[in-house]
Amino acid sequence: QVQLVESGGGLVQAGGSLRLSCAASGRTFSRYRMGWFRQAPGKEREFVAAITRSGGDTYYADSVKGRFTISRDNAKNTVYLQMNSLKPEDTAVYYCASSTSYDTYYLRTRNGYNYWGQGTQVTVSS
């Protein structure tokens, strides 16, 4: 089992940047595919980005492609989400998630992840 703790959320003006971090417990972080999801009030939780175990492949939702970058540091058991050119519609609670699956079919869905963090609030003002 792995425990995930997100940090780095906050209030930022439109056009600004934030970097989210997700620290994982345990010694087997490199065995997990990692993802970021977000949930805005009244909306379903949606996929934002994912990264493979080695960090060699990354995946993004169309809505954030070119603005967000996911990365990981396996030595620090941490995955990051660099968010640039933020828009008010990026406002949401952002969740980190880990997956033991190697199947990319569910990579962009909640069902593809085993463990979740508690979330961190990101608010973008216009």
Side-chain angles (χ1 to χ4, degrees):
Q1 188 169 352
V2 61
Q3 292 185 328
L4 305 171
V5 179
E6 301 97 334
S7 61
L11 173 65
V12 64
Q13 288 188 333
S17 298
L18 281 175
R19 188 175 84 153
L20 305 183
S21 299
C22 173
S25 64
R27 303 179 183 179
T28 59
F29 178 71
S30 62
R31 295 171 59 183
Y32 293 93
R33 182 172 69 206
M34 300 299 296
W36 286 96
F37 286 72
R38 67 187 181 185
Q39 187 166 15
K43 294 188 176 182
E44 295 286 320
R45 191 171 300 187
E46 64 175 5
F47 170 77
V48 175
I51 188 167
T52 53
R53 290 160 176 77
S54 67
D57 291 299
T58 56
Y59 305 84
Y60 297 94
D62 288 343
S63 59
V64 306
K65 199 173 296 183
R67 299 188 298 122
F68 290 12
T69 302
I70 188 172
S71 61
R72 67 190 295 163
D73 186 336
N74 286 344
K76 295 183 178 179
N77 283 11
T78 303
V79 62
Y80 304 97
L81 185 68
Q82 177 67 43
M83 305 186 296
N84 298 329
S85 302
L86 282 161
K87 304 175 182 180
E89 51 263 44
D90 293 320
T91 295
V93 176
Y94 282 70
Y95 297 90
C96 171
S98 65
S99 172
T100 56
S101 174
Y102 286 85
D103 188 346
T104 58
Y105 183 82
Y106 295 105
L107 183 147
R108 298 172 183 266
T109 71
R110 294 180 62 177
N111 290 339
Y113 295 82
N114 308 97
Y115 303 105
W116 294 82
Q118 82 290 348
T120 185
Q121 176 70 46
V122 171
T123 304
V124 184
S125 64
S126 57

